[in-house]
Amino acid sequence: MGVVMDGDAHIDTTVAHPARRYNYWLGGKDNFAADRASGDELEAVFPAVRLGAITNRAFLRRATRFLAAEAGIRQFLDIGTGLPTADNTHEVAQAVAPDSRIVYVDNDPLVMVHARALLTSSAQGRTAYIEADLNDPETILADPQLREVLDFGQPVALMLIAVLHFVHGDGAAQPLVRRLIDELPAGSFLAATHATSDFGTAEQRELYRRMVEERRSDVWTRGQDEFAALFDGLELVEPGVVSATEWRPDPDDQPMDRRHVNVWAAVGRKP
């Protein structure tokens, strides 16, 4: 029981998955009881976690628009795609440049089922979907679809939005990011967000630390210095490493207390 079969996808509905929990926080319907229970438990510790999820999604929209409209990027590698919702990477990029090409990567079979059905490209551009895990960059880089859709002789935007905090361990995320960045040509970009406990109270940080130790949370928060180190060797785009709500907000965006967001964000260019 608890396993849903959809074609070749085997989905265990009894175990919470980050993509489905994120969908729950964003008000979506593609989630199960285990995902909602996990989301509610995290929300009890960080009451503004839904707001953080919404803010994170807004950063994705703004960063993608910047990359396509101002930086001239036409290729995107989006790892940790999540379940389709409004303003997906290809929708934002192709609204600016219809010939944009996007490769989505996620390790949840449900994401791939929905992606193939819903993430349809413009006629001029192209999208593809790889079922793989950020923890195994070699599999991602070796997938034939990646090279078929993206030209690694031209700049690529690597999108790591709300995914790096599922890589556990101090310093564990940096070599994965470096392996991917090393494969990309000069002029490529990294756009990333990351959950943090920097803005919480000491009591919240201690409570959350216990949740991680007891495996009641799968989110490994990182501080500003460790997040910033992911961009070593890259040229940070202004305003640098900031709260997700503070990265190039739209004119009509309301100012938001970073304690309600708990997410670092940045965009960097490979020289």
Side-chain angles (χ1 to χ4, degrees), residues 42-70:
L42 284 169
E43 192 170 8
V45 180
F46 296 104
V49 69
R50 288 175 187 265
L51 185 58
I54 293 169
T55 301
N56 183 81
R57 193 72 187 183
F59 168 83
L60 170 64
R61 180 178 65 250
R62 297 195 308 273
T64 303
R65 190 172 61 223
F66 161 78
L67 290 164
E70 298 185 44

PDB file of all heavy atoms in Angstrom, residues 42-70:
ATOM      1  N   LEU A  42       7.020  21.342   9.781  1.00  0.00           N
ATOM      2  CA  LEU A  42       8.007  22.397   9.561  1.00  0.00           C
ATOM      3  C   LEU A  42       7.400  23.779   9.785  1.00  0.00           C
ATOM      4  O   LEU A  42       8.045  24.681  10.324  1.00  0.00           O
ATOM      5  CB  LEU A  42       8.570  22.288   8.145  1.00  0.00           C
ATOM      6  CG  LEU A  42       9.583  21.174   7.925  1.00  0.00           C
ATOM      7  CD1 LEU A  42       9.858  20.992   6.449  1.00  0.00           C
ATOM      8  CD2 LEU A  42      10.873  21.470   8.662  1.00  0.00           C
ATOM      9  N   GLU A  43       6.143  23.925   9.392  1.00  0.00           N
ATOM     10  CA  GLU A  43       5.470  25.207   9.572  1.00  0.00           C
ATOM     11  C   GLU A  43       5.273  25.529  11.052  1.00  0.00           C
ATOM     12  O   GLU A  43       5.242  26.702  11.445  1.00  0.00           O
ATOM     13  CB  GLU A  43       4.131  25.201   8.839  1.00  0.00           C
ATOM     14  CG  GLU A  43       3.488  26.570   8.730  1.00  0.00           C
ATOM     15  CD  GLU A  43       2.289  26.584   7.808  1.00  0.00           C
ATOM     16  OE1 GLU A  43       1.855  25.498   7.358  1.00  0.00           O
ATOM     17  OE2 GLU A  43       1.776  27.676   7.539  1.00  0.00           O
ATOM     18  N   ALA A  44       5.165  24.511  11.886  1.00  0.00           N
ATOM     19  CA  ALA A  44       5.012  24.735  13.325  1.00  0.00           C
ATOM     20  C   ALA A  44       6.273  25.354  13.916  1.00  0.00           C
ATOM     21  O   ALA A  44       6.215  26.121  14.883  1.00  0.00           O
ATOM     22  CB  ALA A  44       4.689  23.421  14.033  1.00  0.00           C
ATOM     23  N   VAL A  45       7.441  25.023  13.335  1.00  0.00           N
ATOM     24  CA  VAL A  45       8.708  25.584  13.805  1.00  0.00           C
ATOM     25  C   VAL A  45       8.965  26.947  13.164  1.00  0.00           C
ATOM     26  O   VAL A  45       9.376  27.904  13.819  1.00  0.00           O
ATOM     27  CB  VAL A  45       9.871  24.627  13.508  1.00  0.00           C
ATOM     28  CG1 VAL A  45      11.196  25.213  13.991  1.00  0.00           C
ATOM     29  CG2 VAL A  45       9.621  23.272  14.154  1.00  0.00           C
ATOM     30  N   PHE A  46       8.728  27.023  11.855  1.00  0.00           N
ATOM     31  CA  PHE A  46       8.905  28.268  11.105  1.00  0.00           C
ATOM     32  C   PHE A  46       7.553  28.672  10.517  1.00  0.00           C
ATOM     33  O   PHE A  46       7.213  28.278   9.405  1.00  0.00           O
ATOM     34  CB  PHE A  46       9.936  28.081   9.989  1.00  0.00           C
ATOM     35  CG  PHE A  46      11.328  27.776  10.481  1.00  0.00           C
ATOM     36  CD1 PHE A  46      11.845  26.493  10.409  1.00  0.00           C
ATOM     37  CD2 PHE A  46      12.119  28.772  11.022  1.00  0.00           C
ATOM     38  CE1 PHE A  46      13.122  26.213  10.864  1.00  0.00           C
ATOM     39  CE2 PHE A  46      13.401  28.499  11.482  1.00  0.00           C
ATOM     40  CZ  PHE A  46      13.903  27.222  11.403  1.00  0.00           C
ATOM     41  N   PRO A  47       6.763  29.445  11.269  1.00  0.00           N
ATOM     42  CA  PRO A  47       5.387  29.747  10.853  1.00  0.00           C
ATOM     43  C   PRO A  47       5.269  30.428   9.493  1.00  0.00           C
ATOM     44  O   PRO A  47       4.214  30.360   8.862  1.00  0.00           O
ATOM     45  CB  PRO A  47       4.888  30.674  11.978  1.00  0.00           C
ATOM     46  CG  PRO A  47       5.723  30.317  13.161  1.00  0.00           C
ATOM     47  CD  PRO A  47       7.066  29.986  12.602  1.00  0.00           C
ATOM     48  N   ALA A  48       6.346  31.064   9.032  1.00  0.00           N
ATOM     49  CA  ALA A  48       6.271  31.783   7.754  1.00  0.00           C
ATOM     50  C   ALA A  48       6.820  30.953   6.595  1.00  0.00           C
ATOM     51  O   ALA A  48       7.125  31.507   5.540  1.00  0.00           O
ATOM     52  CB  ALA A  48       7.037  33.096   7.859  1.00  0.00           C
ATOM     53  N   VAL A  49       6.918  29.623   6.776  1.00  0.00           N
ATOM     54  CA  VAL A  49       7.553  28.807   5.745  1.00  0.00           C
ATOM     55  C   VAL A  49       6.796  28.869   4.418  1.00  0.00           C
ATOM     56  O   VAL A  49       7.407  28.837   3.343  1.00  0.00           O
ATOM     57  CB  VAL A  49       7.705  27.346   6.231  1.00  0.00           C
ATOM     58  CG1 VAL A  49       6.356  26.648   6.345  1.00  0.00           C
ATOM     59  CG2 VAL A  49       8.636  26.563   5.321  1.00  0.00           C
ATOM     60  N   ARG A  50       5.488  28.990   4.460  1.00  0.00           N
ATOM     61  CA  ARG A  50       4.738  29.116   3.195  1.00  0.00           C
ATOM     62  C   ARG A  50       5.116  30.400   2.474  1.00  0.00           C
ATOM     63  O   ARG A  50       5.250  30.424   1.241  1.00  0.00           O
ATOM     64  CB  ARG A  50       3.228  29.101   3.471  1.00  0.00           C
ATOM     65  CG  ARG A  50       2.666  27.757   3.878  1.00  0.00           C
ATOM     66  CD  ARG A  50       1.188  27.877   4.241  1.00  0.00           C
ATOM     67  NE  ARG A  50       0.675  26.640   4.775  1.00  0.00           N
ATOM     68  CZ  ARG A  50       0.050  25.712   4.052  1.00  0.00           C
ATOM     69  NH1 ARG A  50      -0.133  25.904   2.762  1.00  0.00           N
ATOM     70  NH2 ARG A  50      -0.392  24.605   4.618  1.00  0.00           N
ATOM     71  N   LEU A  51       5.265  31.462   3.251  1.00  0.00           N
ATOM     72  CA  LEU A  51       5.669  32.733   2.669  1.00  0.00           C
ATOM     73  C   LEU A  51       7.051  32.606   2.049  1.00  0.00           C
ATOM     74  O   LEU A  51       7.324  33.162   0.975  1.00  0.00           O
ATOM     75  CB  LEU A  51       5.661  33.821   3.744  1.00  0.00           C
ATOM     76  CG  LEU A  51       5.941  35.252   3.286  1.00  0.00           C
ATOM     77  CD1 LEU A  51       4.940  35.685   2.238  1.00  0.00           C
ATOM     78  CD2 LEU A  51       5.905  36.193   4.490  1.00  0.00           C
ATOM     79  N   GLY A  52       7.922  31.853   2.721  1.00  0.00           N
ATOM     80  CA  GLY A  52       9.243  31.614   2.162  1.00  0.00           C
ATOM     81  C   GLY A  52       9.176  30.881   0.839  1.00  0.00           C
ATOM     82  O   GLY A  52       9.922  31.190  -0.102  1.00  0.00           O
ATOM     83  N   ALA A  53       8.285  29.886   0.738  1.00  0.00           N
ATOM     84  CA  ALA A  53       8.129  29.138  -0.511  1.00  0.00           C
ATOM     85  C   ALA A  53       7.641  30.045  -1.640  1.00  0.00           C
ATOM     86  O   ALA A  53       8.130  29.967  -2.777  1.00  0.00           O
ATOM     87  CB  ALA A  53       7.160  27.979  -0.308  1.00  0.00           C
ATOM     88  N   ILE A  54       6.695  30.913  -1.327  1.00  0.00           N
ATOM     89  CA  ILE A  54       6.164  31.840  -2.331  1.00  0.00           C
ATOM     90  C   ILE A  54       7.242  32.827  -2.766  1.00  0.00           C
ATOM     91  O   ILE A  54       7.397  33.132  -3.950  1.00  0.00           O
ATOM     92  CB  ILE A  54       4.933  32.572  -1.766  1.00  0.00           C
ATOM     93  CG1 ILE A  54       3.785  31.572  -1.558  1.00  0.00           C
ATOM     94  CG2 ILE A  54       4.503  33.708  -2.680  1.00  0.00           C
ATOM     95  CD1 ILE A  54       2.616  32.126  -0.765  1.00  0.00           C
ATOM     96  N   THR A  55       8.011  33.316  -1.790  1.00  0.00           N
ATOM     97  CA  THR A  55       9.080  34.267  -2.090  1.00  0.00           C
ATOM     98  C   THR A  55      10.162  33.612  -2.935  1.00  0.00           C
ATOM     99  O   THR A  55      10.716  34.219  -3.859  1.00  0.00           O
ATOM    100  CB  THR A  55       9.687  34.804  -0.786  1.00  0.00           C
ATOM    101  OG1 THR A  55       8.661  35.437  -0.028  1.00  0.00           O
ATOM    102  CG2 THR A  55      10.786  35.806  -1.067  1.00  0.00           C
ATOM    103  N   ASN A  56      10.480  32.363  -2.628  1.00  0.00           N
ATOM    104  CA  ASN A  56      11.456  31.615  -3.402  1.00  0.00           C
ATOM    105  C   ASN A  56      11.008  31.483  -4.851  1.00  0.00           C
ATOM    106  O   ASN A  56      11.800  31.650  -5.785  1.00  0.00           O
ATOM    107  CB  ASN A  56      11.646  30.234  -2.775  1.00  0.00           C
ATOM    108  CG  ASN A  56      12.701  29.420  -3.489  1.00  0.00           C
ATOM    109  OD1 ASN A  56      13.885  29.590  -3.254  1.00  0.00           O
ATOM    110  ND2 ASN A  56      12.266  28.516  -4.364  1.00  0.00           N
ATOM    111  N   ARG A  57       9.732  31.192  -5.038  1.00  0.00           N
ATOM    112  CA  ARG A  57       9.197  31.062  -6.395  1.00  0.00           C
ATOM    113  C   ARG A  57       9.262  32.397  -7.141  1.00  0.00           C
ATOM    114  O   ARG A  57       9.547  32.437  -8.344  1.00  0.00           O
ATOM    115  CB  ARG A  57       7.748  30.561  -6.334  1.00  0.00           C
ATOM    116  CG  ARG A  57       7.199  30.105  -7.669  1.00  0.00           C
ATOM    117  CD  ARG A  57       7.821  28.793  -8.088  1.00  0.00           C
ATOM    118  NE  ARG A  57       7.444  28.399  -9.441  1.00  0.00           N
ATOM    119  CZ  ARG A  57       7.808  27.276 -10.021  1.00  0.00           C
ATOM    120  NH1 ARG A  57       8.567  26.427  -9.370  1.00  0.00           N
ATOM    121  NH2 ARG A  57       7.425  26.985 -11.242  1.00  0.00           N
ATOM    122  N   ALA A  58       9.015  33.485  -6.420  1.00  0.00           N
ATOM    123  CA  ALA A  58       9.086  34.806  -7.044  1.00  0.00           C
ATOM    124  C   ALA A  58      10.516  35.130  -7.471  1.00  0.00           C
ATOM    125  O   ALA A  58      10.741  35.752  -8.514  1.00  0.00           O
ATOM    126  CB  ALA A  58       8.568  35.866  -6.079  1.00  0.00           C
ATOM    127  N   PHE A  59      11.503  34.683  -6.662  1.00  0.00           N
ATOM    128  CA  PHE A  59      12.901  34.875  -7.059  1.00  0.00           C
ATOM    129  C   PHE A  59      13.187  34.128  -8.355  1.00  0.00           C
ATOM    130  O   PHE A  59      13.871  34.655  -9.248  1.00  0.00           O
ATOM    131  CB  PHE A  59      13.843  34.389  -5.960  1.00  0.00           C
ATOM    132  CG  PHE A  59      15.276  34.295  -6.425  1.00  0.00           C
ATOM    133  CD1 PHE A  59      16.092  35.406  -6.447  1.00  0.00           C
ATOM    134  CD2 PHE A  59      15.792  33.083  -6.876  1.00  0.00           C
ATOM    135  CE1 PHE A  59      17.407  35.323  -6.905  1.00  0.00           C
ATOM    136  CE2 PHE A  59      17.104  32.984  -7.324  1.00  0.00           C
ATOM    137  CZ  PHE A  59      17.916  34.112  -7.339  1.00  0.00           C
ATOM    138  N   LEU A  60      12.719  32.904  -8.472  1.00  0.00           N
ATOM    139  CA  LEU A  60      12.924  32.141  -9.710  1.00  0.00           C
ATOM    140  C   LEU A  60      12.413  32.927 -10.908  1.00  0.00           C
ATOM    141  O   LEU A  60      13.087  33.013 -11.941  1.00  0.00           O
ATOM    142  CB  LEU A  60      12.210  30.784  -9.622  1.00  0.00           C
ATOM    143  CG  LEU A  60      12.131  29.988 -10.929  1.00  0.00           C
ATOM    144  CD1 LEU A  60      13.508  29.586 -11.411  1.00  0.00           C
ATOM    145  CD2 LEU A  60      11.252  28.744 -10.755  1.00  0.00           C
ATOM    146  N   ARG A  61      11.241  33.504 -10.766  1.00  0.00           N
ATOM    147  CA  ARG A  61      10.666  34.278 -11.873  1.00  0.00           C
ATOM    148  C   ARG A  61      11.547  35.488 -12.215  1.00  0.00           C
ATOM    149  O   ARG A  61      11.864  35.725 -13.383  1.00  0.00           O
ATOM    150  CB  ARG A  61       9.257  34.742 -11.486  1.00  0.00           C
ATOM    151  CG  ARG A  61       8.556  35.556 -12.577  1.00  0.00           C
ATOM    152  CD  ARG A  61       7.156  35.955 -12.163  1.00  0.00           C
ATOM    153  NE  ARG A  61       7.171  36.866 -11.016  1.00  0.00           N
ATOM    154  CZ  ARG A  61       6.757  36.549  -9.796  1.00  0.00           C
ATOM    155  NH1 ARG A  61       6.312  35.330  -9.545  1.00  0.00           N
ATOM    156  NH2 ARG A  61       6.779  37.441  -8.815  1.00  0.00           N
ATOM    157  N   ARG A  62      11.973  36.227 -11.193  1.00  0.00           N
ATOM    158  CA  ARG A  62      12.766  37.436 -11.444  1.00  0.00           C
ATOM    159  C   ARG A  62      14.150  37.088 -12.002  1.00  0.00           C
ATOM    160  O   ARG A  62      14.652  37.757 -12.910  1.00  0.00           O
ATOM    161  CB  ARG A  62      12.909  38.271 -10.166  1.00  0.00           C
ATOM    162  CG  ARG A  62      11.590  38.791  -9.617  1.00  0.00           C
ATOM    163  CD  ARG A  62      11.806  39.885  -8.591  1.00  0.00           C
ATOM    164  NE  ARG A  62      12.725  39.519  -7.522  1.00  0.00           N
ATOM    165  CZ  ARG A  62      12.387  38.894  -6.395  1.00  0.00           C
ATOM    166  NH1 ARG A  62      11.124  38.529  -6.203  1.00  0.00           N
ATOM    167  NH2 ARG A  62      13.291  38.631  -5.471  1.00  0.00           N
ATOM    168  N   ALA A  63      14.773  36.049 -11.437  1.00  0.00           N
ATOM    169  CA  ALA A  63      16.109  35.662 -11.895  1.00  0.00           C
ATOM    170  C   ALA A  63      16.072  35.164 -13.335  1.00  0.00           C
ATOM    171  O   ALA A  63      16.950  35.509 -14.143  1.00  0.00           O
ATOM    172  CB  ALA A  63      16.690  34.601 -10.973  1.00  0.00           C
ATOM    173  N   THR A  64      15.075  34.352 -13.661  1.00  0.00           N
ATOM    174  CA  THR A  64      14.961  33.846 -15.032  1.00  0.00           C
ATOM    175  C   THR A  64      14.732  34.989 -16.002  1.00  0.00           C
ATOM    176  O   THR A  64      15.327  35.031 -17.089  1.00  0.00           O
ATOM    177  CB  THR A  64      13.813  32.822 -15.132  1.00  0.00           C
ATOM    178  OG1 THR A  64      14.040  31.753 -14.208  1.00  0.00           O
ATOM    179  CG2 THR A  64      13.710  32.259 -16.537  1.00  0.00           C
ATOM    180  N   ARG A  65      13.893  35.930 -15.621  1.00  0.00           N
ATOM    181  CA  ARG A  65      13.630  37.091 -16.479  1.00  0.00           C
ATOM    182  C   ARG A  65      14.907  37.907 -16.686  1.00  0.00           C
ATOM    183  O   ARG A  65      15.206  38.341 -17.795  1.00  0.00           O
ATOM    184  CB  ARG A  65      12.530  37.954 -15.866  1.00  0.00           C
ATOM    185  CG  ARG A  65      12.005  39.056 -16.797  1.00  0.00           C
ATOM    186  CD  ARG A  65      10.796  39.725 -16.179  1.00  0.00           C
ATOM    187  NE  ARG A  65      11.118  40.353 -14.909  1.00  0.00           N
ATOM    188  CZ  ARG A  65      10.357  40.283 -13.819  1.00  0.00           C
ATOM    189  NH1 ARG A  65       9.236  39.574 -13.842  1.00  0.00           N
ATOM    190  NH2 ARG A  65      10.715  40.912 -12.714  1.00  0.00           N
ATOM    191  N   PHE A  66      15.673  38.100 -15.609  1.00  0.00           N
ATOM    192  CA  PHE A  66      16.941  38.812 -15.729  1.00  0.00           C
ATOM    193  C   PHE A  66      17.887  38.082 -16.686  1.00  0.00           C
ATOM    194  O   PHE A  66      18.508  38.693 -17.569  1.00  0.00           O
ATOM    195  CB  PHE A  66      17.610  38.950 -14.356  1.00  0.00           C
ATOM    196  CG  PHE A  66      19.087  39.240 -14.433  1.00  0.00           C
ATOM    197  CD1 PHE A  66      19.540  40.515 -14.718  1.00  0.00           C
ATOM    198  CD2 PHE A  66      20.018  38.214 -14.261  1.00  0.00           C
ATOM    199  CE1 PHE A  66      20.912  40.778 -14.821  1.00  0.00           C
ATOM    200  CE2 PHE A  66      21.382  38.479 -14.366  1.00  0.00           C
ATOM    201  CZ  PHE A  66      21.826  39.758 -14.642  1.00  0.00           C
ATOM    202  N   LEU A  67      18.002  36.774 -16.510  1.00  0.00           N
ATOM    203  CA  LEU A  67      18.937  35.999 -17.314  1.00  0.00           C
ATOM    204  C   LEU A  67      18.571  36.036 -18.795  1.00  0.00           C
ATOM    205  O   LEU A  67      19.441  36.142 -19.658  1.00  0.00           O
ATOM    206  CB  LEU A  67      18.986  34.561 -16.814  1.00  0.00           C
ATOM    207  CG  LEU A  67      19.654  34.383 -15.443  1.00  0.00           C
ATOM    208  CD1 LEU A  67      19.321  33.016 -14.855  1.00  0.00           C
ATOM    209  CD2 LEU A  67      21.165  34.568 -15.559  1.00  0.00           C
ATOM    210  N   ALA A  68      17.282  35.951 -19.083  1.00  0.00           N
ATOM    211  CA  ALA A  68      16.845  35.947 -20.476  1.00  0.00           C
ATOM    212  C   ALA A  68      16.855  37.351 -21.084  1.00  0.00           C
ATOM    213  O   ALA A  68      17.322  37.548 -22.211  1.00  0.00           O
ATOM    214  CB  ALA A  68      15.451  35.335 -20.585  1.00  0.00           C
ATOM    215  N   ALA A  69      16.357  38.332 -20.342  1.00  0.00           N
ATOM    216  CA  ALA A  69      16.168  39.674 -20.899  1.00  0.00           C
ATOM    217  C   ALA A  69      17.433  40.526 -20.846  1.00  0.00           C
ATOM    218  O   ALA A  69      17.750  41.246 -21.798  1.00  0.00           O
ATOM    219  CB  ALA A  69      15.035  40.381 -20.162  1.00  0.00           C
ATOM    220  N   GLU A  70      18.166  40.458 -19.715  1.00  0.00           N
ATOM    221  CA  GLU A  70      19.326  41.332 -19.544  1.00  0.00           C
ATOM    222  C   GLU A  70      20.650  40.638 -19.842  1.00  0.00           C
ATOM    223  O   GLU A  70      21.561  41.254 -20.393  1.00  0.00           O
ATOM    224  CB  GLU A  70      19.344  41.901 -18.121  1.00  0.00           C
ATOM    225  CG  GLU A  70      18.136  42.771 -17.798  1.00  0.00           C
ATOM    226  CD  GLU A  70      18.243  43.414 -16.431  1.00  0.00           C
ATOM    227  OE1 GLU A  70      19.335  43.914 -16.087  1.00  0.00           O
ATOM    228  OE2 GLU A  70      17.237  43.408 -15.686  1.00  0.00           O
TER     229      GLU A  70
END
